[in-house]
Amino acid sequence: MKKQFLFLILFLFTLNAVAADDRKQEVDSLLNTAREFEANGESLSQLETALKALDLSNAINDDGGKARSHFSAANALVNLGLFKEG
């Protein structure tokens, strides 16, 4: 009975890890899109996408995603000339 319980706990942790990886990939995808907007000179779209990535990073508590999202958002604000908003 204890083995089954331990297996169930391990299984649940594995599912949680897989779900978190999917969300991290979504954050990465959003940040890649933000980089494309930056390359095309679409700073407002870059800002919106970076903020979406930041919201998702906060929801899943992804420190790396938070840092990259903040950087992308700050970069977009500088490109827009909005220095005080950052």
Side-chain angles (χ1 to χ4, degrees):
M1 184 67 167
K2 288 184 180 181
K3 284 184 179 181
Q4 291 174 342
F5 181 71
L6 290 174
F7 179 73
L8 177 65
I9 296 295
L10 179 63
F11 181 71
L12 291 176
F13 280 123
T14 303
L15 285 178
N16 190 25
V18 169
D21 285 343
D22 288 343
R23 290 182 183 167
K24 286 182 181 182
Q25 287 179 353
E26 187 175 347
V27 169
D28 289 341
S29 175
L30 285 169
L31 290 172
N32 286 336
T33 302
R35 273 189 226 112
E36 290 175 12
F37 285 136
E38 178 187 9
N40 294 332
E42 300 176 39
S43 297
L44 189 57
S45 297
Q46 176 191 2
L47 178 61
E48 292 171 350
T49 307
L51 293 177
K52 287 178 188 177
L54 180 60
D55 288 341
L56 184 56
S57 295
N58 284 329
I60 64 172
N61 200 21
D62 177 20
D63 291 335
K66 289 178 192 179
R68 290 177 294 154
S69 299
H70 276 115
F71 179 80
S72 183
N75 189 16
L77 288 170
V78 167
N79 290 339
L80 289 168
L82 303 172
F83 302 107
K84 292 184 181 181
E85 282 76 359

